[in-house]
Amino acid sequence: FRTEYSNFIGRNAGYQACCNSNSNFIGTGAGLGARCSSNSNFIGESAGQYASNSCSSNFIGNSAGYQAVCACYSNFIGDQAGYQACCAYYSNFIGAGAGYQAYCSCNSNFMGVSAGVSACCVTYSNFIGWSAGNAAKYSVCSIFEGREAGYNACRVSLSNFIGDQAGYQACCAYYS
């Protein structure tokens, strides 16, 4: 189980890591049991601790990307951001708890505390604000901006929702 050209700084950082070349695990327990997460940076206590197949990603914050799976080319910044994220490609989750259990979020941005906590199948969309897109599902090419904007939005395409709770429970909204 080769791990080459990597840096492990902190107690138990990368302790049981395997196949994580060109990576940096910085912090107590960072990348402790990470698997196949090459070209990545896990910075913070327990960041990426049990992450797997999360290549070319950055997990920054306490427990950021803790158990992330297949989170490639993505950034999780904030305490517990992307904690159990799965299949998040080319996406950004910024804020404490952002993308905590996000699933299949591609080419999207979630910015704010608890933004996109359990977002599912979101592509080319932006959620900006506290709890924005918290439980959004199947959103494509849309923008949600404001506190709890798009909180529980479902099947939204090519739409914009701006303001407190804008599009909170929007369903089947196209070109809105």
Side-chain angles (χ1 to χ4, degrees):
F1 301 116
R2 297 178 65 161
T3 295
E4 306 176 310
Y5 309 111
S6 294
N7 297 300
F8 306 106
I9 301 170
R11 184 169 183 252
N12 292 326
Y15 181 73
Q16 296 173 335
C18 142
C19 303
N20 298 294
S21 298
N22 303 311
S23 294
N24 297 300
F25 300 155
I26 302 170
T28 301
L32 182 134
R35 301 281 185 260
C36 303
S37 296
S38 295
N39 303 310
S40 293
N41 296 298
F42 301 161
I43 302 170
E45 184 176 339
S46 300
Q49 191 162 37
Y50 295 104
S52 64
N53 299 313
S54 296
C55 58
S56 300
S57 290
N58 297 298
F59 301 157
I60 302 170
N62 291 336
S63 297
Y66 185 85
Q67 292 178 321
V69 176
C70 296
C72 294
Y73 306 101
S74 292
N75 298 299
F76 295 95
I77 302 171
D79 289 353
Q80 295 188 338
Y83 189 88
Q84 293 178 323
C86 180
C87 301
Y89 296 99
Y90 299 99
S91 293
N92 297 297
F93 297 86
I94 302 170
Y100 188 90
Q101 290 180 319
Y103 178 76
C104 286
S105 296
C106 302
N107 297 292
S108 294
N109 298 298
F110 297 85
M111 294 177 267
V113 173
S114 298
V117 165
S118 59
C120 175
C121 301
V122 173
T123 56
Y124 300 105
S125 294
N126 294 304
F127 295 86
I128 303 166
W130 180 78
S131 285
N134 189 294
K137 292 170 185 60
Y138 309 107
S139 173
V140 179
C141 299
S142 296
I143 297 172
F144 298 86
E145 186 175 337
R147 183 182 62 87
E148 295 183 331
Y151 186 94
N152 200 25
C154 181
R155 290 177 172 49
V156 176
S157 295
L158 303 162
S159 299
N160 297 309
F161 298 92
I162 300 171
D164 260 14
Q165 297 184 333
Y168 186 89
Q169 290 186 345
C171 185
C172 300
Y174 303 99
Y175 300 101
S176 298

